[in-house]
Amino acid sequence: SGVPRGRLILLDLYAEVFPIWLRTASFYGIPFIFCQLHNFGGNNGLYGALPHLLQGWSGALDAHPPSSIVGTGMCMEGIEQNPAVYDLAAELSF
């Protein structure tokens, strides 16, 4: 008993730095959203790991065997951060 296949989407919350999908065979085939967790606790500053975000996203798309990625997500613990990071994260799906 559990959640039926097709009724669950997982969030890989810190995927740009610590991707769980790589350690779990793409969540064992369960669809997941590649999420970026940009800041912790609302810390302000113009920072962001743009190369990690790009490499992680392209790695999930180009994985062999194919990953079960279905989208991108942004998990922000604060606002008024580096807009370039969020612009890039929003563009990745397109």
Side-chain angles (χ1 to χ4, degrees):
S1 68
V3 179
R5 281 210 179 261
R7 306 281 299 178
L8 176 69
I9 297 176
L10 297 172
L11 301 177
D12 197 351
L13 288 178
Y14 197 30
E16 82 278 17
V17 175
F18 191 73
I20 301 300
W21 70 269
L22 282 174
R23 295 164 179 81
T24 59
S26 192
F27 293 104
Y28 308 105
I30 303 295
F32 75 95
I33 295 177
F34 182 98
C35 294
Q36 168 210 7
L37 182 55
H38 180 227
N39 61 350
F40 293 93
N43 295 318
N44 291 327
L46 289 176
Y47 60 89
L50 298 179
H52 286 117
L53 186 56
L54 285 171
Q55 292 167 358
W57 173 253
S58 63
L61 290 179
D62 298 335
H64 296 287
S67 74
S68 55
I69 190 170
V70 294
T72 59
M74 293 178 268
C75 305
M76 300 159 296
E77 291 190 4
I79 59 173
E80 309 278 335
Q81 300 298 314
N82 187 347
V85 174
Y86 300 110
D87 286 345
L88 176 60
E91 291 290 328
L92 289 176
S93 292
F94 300 98

